[in-house]
């Protein structure tokens, strides 16, 4: 430690901790990294599959969340270790790209790392392992494409989409209601989907949570639901043929930007000021009304004075509309977001068939629904549930389902779940291993073992014996040449996942295998860790 002085002569202390940096090299570095990352994967392992467990996570300020969603679990775990953080990112990139399969990708990465550790112990060079995994990954992906099947998303009232949604929802807290929720998700996505371009803008599906009622009360509302009511209870409750003025400026007199003092010494001055303020409000309301608007939605608040004036002038208004709602409304109704009253013009107004206050269930609270928007259709899924924890988890689950459906609209190929696809790939990779004459052969074989880790984990989580069930499934896949044999987690009496209708998207499975391999390769390339001592 030493004392130094800066340019202004102020003293500061230099701490010398360069020498105390922790440093790990070579094999020690590989192993420590792998073990740290594996610890994360092990935590997630018990959450995989339809009988997977949930995790309860308590944030530093005491908020509790209960979830089964891999991405959410790792995000809330507050992980310190740098390599373990790579797995967090892994889960999040799966979430961003695909939306579902966030647990599976981390578990697979963990299995691969486990295999890498044994290979390192055998004395195989990390780059050879990497190479082997890479080649095996290519084989697996090719095989996935071969066993994938196209589904007809239109047939039978979109039954296939509903099934895929049910698979995604089956492992969640809300699994009891998966069919109803799955249908809601499918309708919502199809409502906003552009089927000719095979594209879905998920921003047009708003998911609104509201505690109270139960999960069965969850419903789809065609229109944008905002959790607000008219700013004054006596304003009209319904505006038909709405012309919306979307404001991001408050209904209040401008405040001086710099510090000024106003001295009021007599009643006359005070009255003058009051008149002026009134005039401001009156002008604002006039500007809005003159443009032809019949409702004002404001991102900011306004005080009682303004509120009263709005009522008097017959201009219904809503205050404190959230930023995301403002954007959604702008997108759906064609409204321009207006930041200054002077800029209000008739062309900037958004149009909607109606805006009305509605009441749900027995609660007294009201919300606003904006229906028949001019530009694009937007829908809202209103999630109900007994507690904040439930509605939050239901929201995450429905998000997964929505993503699966969107992915199927983009690419209608599926593979079957229950570990069957992984098992089929494992068998293919094993076959390929025999063709590899170099040392990579071991890595290729280990890759197959890691893939088998997924069905084995699924079996473990639902109380089956993982070794016997995987062995049985494997031998049946081989003898019957049927890549759809997996683990019968729900005890339905068949291991054929086509009969069980466990649909997973090809894009998700592909992404899982590719991302997991990538991360493992990345971890295997780190041979030197330099970190501050407190890691
Ligand atoms: P993720 O976050 O990775 O989506 P999940 O907990 O949703 O994790 O579990 C997904 C895994 O569970 C997939 O491998 C899927 O094939 C499997 N799975 C889902 N439903 C069933 C089922 N009814 N029977 C067997 N396996 C299932
Ligand atoms: Mg899932």
């Amino acid at each position: 430690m030493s004392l130094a002085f800066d340019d202004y002569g102020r003293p500061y202390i230099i701490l010398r901790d360069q020498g105390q940096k922790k440093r790990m090299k070579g094999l020690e570095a590989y192993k420590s990294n792998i073990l740290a990352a594996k610890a994360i994967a092990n935590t997630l392992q018990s959450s995989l599959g339809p009988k997977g467990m949930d995790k309860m996570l308590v944030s530093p300020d005491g908020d509790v969340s209960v979830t089964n969603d891999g991405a959410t679990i790792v995000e809330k775990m507050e992980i310190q270790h740098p390599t373990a953080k790579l797995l967090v990112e892994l889960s999040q990139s799966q979430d961003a790209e695909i939306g579902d399969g966030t647990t599976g990708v981390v578990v697979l990465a963990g299995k691969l790392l486990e295999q890498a550790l044994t290979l390192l112990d055998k004395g195989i060079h990390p780059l050879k392992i990497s190479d082997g995994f890479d080649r095996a990954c290519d084989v697996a992906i090719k095989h996935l494409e071969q066993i994938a099947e196209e589904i007809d998303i239109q047939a039978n009232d979109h039954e296939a989409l509903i099934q895929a949604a049910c698979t995604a929802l089956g492992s969640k807290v809300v699994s009891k209601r998966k069919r109803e929720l799955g249908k809601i998700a499918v309708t919502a996505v199809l409502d906003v989907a552009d089927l000719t371009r095979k594209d879905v803008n998920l921003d047009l599906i708003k998911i609104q949570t509201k505690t109270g009622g139960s999960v069965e009360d969850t419903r789809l509302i065609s229109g944008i639901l905002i959790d607000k009511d008219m700013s004054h209870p006596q304003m009209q409750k319904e505006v038909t043929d709405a012309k919306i003025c979307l404001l991001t400026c408050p209904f209040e007199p401008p405040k001086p930007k710099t510090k000024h003092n106003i001295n009021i010494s007599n009643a006359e001055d005070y009255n003058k000021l009051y008149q002026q303020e009134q005039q401001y409000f009156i002008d604002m309301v006039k500007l809005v009304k003159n443009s032809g608007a019949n409702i004002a939605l404001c991102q900011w608040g306004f005080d009682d004075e303004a509120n009263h004036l709005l009522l008097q002038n017959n201009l219904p208004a809503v205050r404190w509309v959230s930023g995301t709602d403002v954007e959604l409304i702008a997108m759906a109704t064609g409204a321009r977001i207006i930041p200054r009253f002077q800029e209000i013009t008739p062309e900037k107004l958004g149009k909607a068939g109606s805006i009305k206050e509605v009441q749900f269930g027995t609660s007294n609270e009201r919300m606003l629904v904006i229906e028949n928007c001019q530009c694009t259709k937007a829908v809202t899924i209103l999630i109900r549930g007994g507690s904040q924890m439930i509605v939050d988890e239901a929201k995450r689950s429905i998000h997964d389902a929505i993503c699966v459906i969107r992915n199927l609209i983009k690419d209608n190929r599926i593979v079957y779940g229950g570990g069957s696809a992984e098992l089929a790939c494992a068998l293919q990779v094993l076959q390929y291993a025999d063709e590899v004459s170099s040392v990579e052969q071991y890595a290729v074989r280990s890759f197959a073992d890691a893939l088998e880790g997924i069905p084995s984990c699924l079996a473990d989580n639902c109380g089956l014996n993982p070794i016997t069930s995987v062995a049985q499934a494997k031998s049946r896949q081989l003898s019957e040449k049927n890549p759809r044999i997996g683990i019968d987690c729900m005890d339905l009496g068949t291991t054929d996942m086509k009969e069980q209708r466990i649909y997973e998207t090809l894009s998700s499975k592909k992404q899982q295998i590719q991302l997991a391999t990538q991360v493992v390769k990345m971890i295997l390339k780190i041979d030197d860790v330099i970190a501050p001592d407190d890691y």
Side-chain angles (χ1 to χ4, degrees), residues 375-395:
C375 285
T376 49
K377 189 150 188 206
V379 295
T380 309
I381 298 176
L382 175 66
I383 299 179
R384 307 301 309 267
S387 70
Q388 193 61 41
M389 254 185 280
I390 302 241
V391 290
D392 283 347
E393 176 66 356
K395 180 175 178 177

Side-chain angles (χ1 to χ4, degrees), residues 47-50 68 100-104 171 417-418 458 487 489-490 502 504:
S47 289
L48 185 75
N68 174 281
D100 187 32
T102 52
T103 320
S171 52
L458 284 173
I487 306 292
C489 291
M490 305 308 280
I502 309 297
E504 287 197 75

Side-chain angles (χ1 to χ4, degrees), residues 248-259:
T248 53
C249 43
F251 260 101
E252 58 181 33
K255 293 199 180 71
K257 289 245 163 77
T258 43
K259 276 188 186 157

Side-chain angles (χ1 to χ4, degrees), residues 47-52 68-71 94 99-106 166-172 178 400 416-420 422 454 458 486-490 492 497 500 502-504 508-509 512:
S47 289
L48 185 75
K51 294 258 172 98
N68 174 281
D69 184 54
Q94 174 84 16
D100 187 32
T102 52
T103 320
V105 72
V106 176
C166 285
T167 305
L169 291 168
S171 52
K172 311 292 182 188
K178 63 180 176 190
D400 279 15
Y416 293 93
S420 63
E422 284 90 348
I454 297 287
L458 284 173
I487 306 292
D488 178 18
C489 291
M490 305 308 280
L492 297 180
M497 292 298 136
Q500 287 211 16
I502 309 297
Y503 296 171
E504 287 197 75
S508 166
K509 268 282 120 57
Q512 276 186 338

